[in-house]
Amino acid sequence: MNRQERRAAGRKSPTSEPGSPAALYEAGLRHLRAGQYLDAQICCQQALATDSNHADSLNLMGMLSLHAKQYDHAVEWGARALRQAPKPEYLVTLGTALQSQGRLEEALKAFDKAVQLKPDVAELWKNLGNVLLALERPADALLSFQHILTLDPRHWEAAYQSAVLFHQLERLAEAVEHFDLCNRLKPDHALTLRARARSLRDMNRLKEALQDSQRACKLDPGDAGACNGVGDILARLPDRQEEALQWFDRALELEPDFLQALTNKALVLGQLHRSEEAIANYRRLRSLDPDNAEVNISLGHLHLLLGDFESGWAGHEARRKIPSFSAPYPKFSEPIWLGKETIDGKTILVHVDEGFGDTIQFARYVPMLAERGARVILVVDGPAYPLLSNLAGVSQCFPFPAHTLPPFDFHCPMSSLPLAFATRLDTIPSGTSYLPAPAASRVQAWESRLGPHDRLRVGLVWSGNPNHRNDRNRSIPLRTLSRILDADAAFVSLQKDPRPDDKAFLVESTSILDLTADLTDFTETAALLRCLDLVITVDTSVAHLAGALGCPTWILLPHHPDWRWLLGRDDSPWYPTVRLFRQPKPRDYDSVMDRVRAELTAMISKRV
């Protein structure tokens, strides 16, 4: 029996006469509380036989219909009760029945009306919050649960739902604050500890997250999810990936087909370069969940990393089923082109679908489309538009989003071009420079800003988009580069939007010239790159831009790099002028910087 039923059952009118509708209704409530549903129904029927409009009995019939999962009847009874009196409890019966039928907007109206009638009742706000959750309106649902806490600061469920929603809305500090409240109200609650661990993890407070996760596992050692949570956090800590595997295995002992544990295990095996084991785990995942796009793309990227492009490109196509992975891609009525149809004399739209680095890397295929006789329309993100609008083979170029496009016969996502051209490791189109040369006037303008070219000019990039999935591994603090800044070279920042700590270091540094305020788009960046002797960068769009322009470029790579950099080589088949400096083990950039310093010193000495 829910709280509404108990509260209603506890109300007894002292004036109810035996056999009256009110007395029969009260008897029906007592039967309902005792689980004697048939007897409760008989009491209601007797009450309604005497007074067919007895509102409380009509509502009780609605509650009995809800219990029997006869939602159509519950809606009818609840509506009849409301026609007699607009009481909040009648609105709750109606709203619950409507929600059970999936009629969420109508349920929302009922619960909202109940709140308006009695705004000081926490349970009414809970109903409202829950239907807003069902409607996928998390911000509005959060307001409801937050209001409950103003009415009852010790309402555990409202605190928990608030914490979960704050996490969902990426307001992580507030999520942790509310999980702390949950913990005070209900100490040593495994579910709270697991959820708080996820928020702490996403705030990169990994040691605290691990403590919570381990505590949750001790409280409920038979919970496979708790074991997986410990492994997930260990996998993010330096040198603890092997330990993480043990926890994933423990989770899988408890639940052999636990998809998330299998996925995490496969990812960590791949990061440890235990590729055959990783592939075996991914294949098991595919057998359990064939349509899982995350699994298919992860397996595809592992094949690409290993140089198996035939298998890899097919898996890479799964990205188009993952909204968070790709840029918004329009729905076109025209067919997609993946290399099968003849395009001679046809118009093909090549449309951006991933980040700037991918756009620059795969722009090399556009001239090849024109060579096949196609007329190419190109749509790219705004900062890349000035650079790529003059790309060879492009008939028309538009910045994304392009609201009006000319007619075309086929469309192709930019990152599907390697698949369309059946690219293998030995057939990568790898011209030294395939982008339009920057205007001489722009290059000269940057030469003037840089001043005399009496020392080696070295461009620096140390971080990428903080929202990138692998940013914690690929980006580094600017201070990590400090061990090369005393070299006899002129260092130039190419870093847009430095993070607060890096910005402070950059302001204090006298070794790095920062002119990035004038880098308004990739055309300006390309012109500046033409003035430099070397670019040292982490894996970002500038690395692709420098490589595509044929500039000498050194890329600092994590131990487990992005698929395009392959494994076990210090060159790139995609960019002939690129050298790769890899971590020998996870998060070891110190040895990387030692090698960079030695190579840079040698390069400077040769220049002299």
Side-chain angles (χ1 to χ4, degrees), residues 9-242:
R11 291 197 304 263
K12 181 181 287 189
S13 171
T15 62
S16 299
E17 298 180 3
S20 68
L24 289 165
Y25 160 71
E26 289 161 2
L29 279 174
R30 290 193 296 274
H31 287 309
L32 177 64
R33 181 166 61 177
Q36 297 166 344
Y37 302 109
L38 179 59
D39 291 335
Q41 182 178 345
I42 291 171
C43 287
C44 283
Q45 289 170 340
Q46 291 174 346
L48 293 170
T50 303
D51 180 0
S52 61
N53 292 323
H54 189 258
D56 283 341
S57 296
L58 291 168
N59 185 59
L60 183 54
M61 285 296 289
M63 294 163 65
L64 289 166
S65 297
L66 278 175
H67 181 267
K69 298 184 179 179
Q70 297 172 341
Y71 302 125
D72 288 342
H73 294 310
V75 169
E76 182 180 347
W77 289 116
R80 285 181 62 185
L82 279 167
R83 284 196 288 271
Q84 307 309 312
K87 291 185 179 181
E89 53 264 41
Y90 304 167
L91 287 159
V92 170
T93 300
L94 177 62
T96 303
L98 290 166
Q99 185 170 356
S100 300
Q101 289 182 314
R103 296 161 64 181
L104 299 181
E105 291 291 351
E106 295 171 85
L108 175 62
K109 291 177 181 177
F111 291 138
D112 187 53
K113 180 65 174 177
V115 162
Q116 292 176 37
L117 291 173
K118 279 197 175 179
D120 57 344
V121 178
E123 292 303 297
L124 299 180
W125 285 95
K126 188 177 84 170
N127 292 329
L128 183 63
N130 286 335
V131 76
L132 287 166
L133 282 178
L135 284 164
E136 298 182 354
R137 291 169 55 179
D140 293 330
L142 177 60
L143 292 176
S144 292
F145 293 117
Q146 287 285 281
H147 188 73
I148 294 173
L149 291 173
T150 66
L151 298 171
D152 180 5
R154 299 186 61 79
H155 197 292
W156 183 87
E157 186 176 350
Y160 184 81
Q161 289 285 16
S162 293
V164 170
L165 286 165
F166 276 126
H167 183 110
Q168 183 179 341
L169 295 168
E170 299 183 354
R171 295 164 63 177
L172 298 178
E174 291 163 288
V176 170
E177 177 186 341
H178 283 75
F179 282 129
D180 289 344
L181 172 59
C182 292
N183 195 48
R184 290 194 296 272
L185 295 173
K186 195 184 290 188
D188 290 334
H189 185 256
L191 183 63
T192 299
L193 290 166
R194 281 181 58 189
R196 184 171 67 176
R198 287 192 291 271
S199 291
L200 291 167
R201 175 201 67 190
D202 291 349
M203 295 175 75
N204 207 35
R205 292 163 58 179
L206 297 179
K207 291 183 180 179
E208 296 169 80
L210 182 60
Q211 289 174 353
D212 270 6
S213 195
Q214 289 174 327
R215 178 64 179 155
C217 207
K218 286 180 182 178
L219 290 167
D220 191 358
D223 183 352
C227 296
N228 178 66
V230 175
D232 176 55
I233 295 166
L234 286 169
R236 300 163 187 263
L237 288 165
D239 302 320
R240 301 193 71 173
Q241 290 176 308
E242 293 284 357

Side-chain angles (χ1 to χ4, degrees), residues 219-531:
L219 290 167
D220 191 358
D223 183 352
C227 296
N228 178 66
V230 175
D232 176 55
I233 295 166
L234 286 169
R236 300 163 187 263
L237 288 165
D239 302 320
R240 301 193 71 173
Q241 290 176 308
E242 293 284 357
E243 192 178 346
L245 289 175
Q246 297 173 18
W247 283 91
F248 297 141
D249 285 338
R250 188 181 302 186
L252 291 167
E253 287 174 8
L254 294 166
E255 191 178 326
D257 294 340
F258 187 2
L259 296 179
Q260 191 58 58
L262 280 166
T263 300
N264 287 338
K265 181 179 179 181
L267 285 169
V268 170
L269 287 168
Q271 290 165 3
L272 291 170
H273 300 169
R274 291 163 58 176
S275 302
E276 291 185 6
E277 295 171 79
I279 290 172
N281 270 266
Y282 281 127
R283 286 176 176 163
R284 172 154 174 70
L285 277 163
R286 286 211 302 190
S287 71
L288 295 170
D289 191 4
D291 297 325
N292 189 314
E294 292 276 1
V295 170
N296 288 328
I297 195 170
S298 295
L299 178 57
H301 285 176
L302 181 54
H303 283 305
L304 290 171
L305 181 70
L306 298 172
D308 179 3
F309 282 12
E310 183 176 1
S311 300
W313 296 129
H316 186 57
E317 285 301 289
R319 75 193 183 282
R320 295 191 284 117
K321 298 180 180 179
I322 307 173
S324 62
F325 192 92
S326 299
Y329 193 85
K331 293 182 178 179
F332 297 116
S333 57
E334 294 81 0
I336 192 170
W337 182 78
L338 295 177
K340 294 181 180 179
E341 297 85 359
T342 299
I343 55 174
D344 186 17
K346 303 292 185 180
T347 298
I348 183 167
L349 170 67
V350 177
H351 199 289
V352 60
D353 67 323
E354 292 195 70
F356 290 120
D358 304 274
T359 297
I360 293 169
Q361 180 180 3
F362 301 133
R364 70 186 70 215
Y365 290 95
V366 171
M368 298 167 62
L369 291 170
E371 290 170 6
R372 290 195 179 188
R375 178 178 178 270
V376 182
I377 301 170
L378 184 63
V379 176
V380 295
D381 282 309
Y385 168 73
L387 177 71
L388 296 180
S389 58
N390 294 318
L391 184 67
V394 174
S395 295
Q396 288 179 278
C397 188
F398 298 88
F400 177 78
H403 301 294
T404 303
L405 289 169
F408 55 91
D409 301 296
F410 298 101
H411 69 96
C412 183
M414 197 121 189
S415 298
S416 295
L417 287 170
L419 170 67
F421 281 92
T423 304
R424 303 188 310 271
L425 194 57
D426 59 345
T427 63
I428 292 173
S430 55
T432 301
S433 177
Y434 56 82
L435 295 180
S441 59
R442 303 309 311 147
V443 175
Q444 185 54 52
W446 282 106
E447 284 285 358
S448 300
R449 289 190 184 97
L450 293 171
H453 196 164
D454 52 0
R455 292 188 296 168
L456 192 78
R457 290 176 179 166
V458 181
L460 299 176
V461 183
W462 54 88
S463 65
N465 182 349
N467 296 319
H468 188 277
R469 291 184 170 200
N470 198 37
D471 184 67
R472 64 192 175 92
N473 287 320
R474 68 169 189 163
S475 293
I476 59 175
L478 174 54
R479 292 182 186 276
T480 303
L481 296 176
S482 60
R483 66 180 62 201
I484 68 171
L485 295 180
D486 61 348
D488 186 21
F491 293 100
V492 180
S493 173
L494 302 170
Q495 180 67 55
K496 294 291 289 182
D497 302 319
R499 298 169 195 189
D501 289 347
D502 296 335
K503 193 170 185 178
F505 185 91
L506 191 59
V507 169
E508 296 170 3
S509 174
T510 59
S511 305
I512 304 175
L513 178 63
D514 183 12
L515 301 173
T516 53
D518 294 323
L519 294 178
T520 53
D521 56 43
F522 281 106
T523 300
E524 290 293 346
T525 305
L528 175 54
L529 290 173
R530 285 295 191 196
C531 302

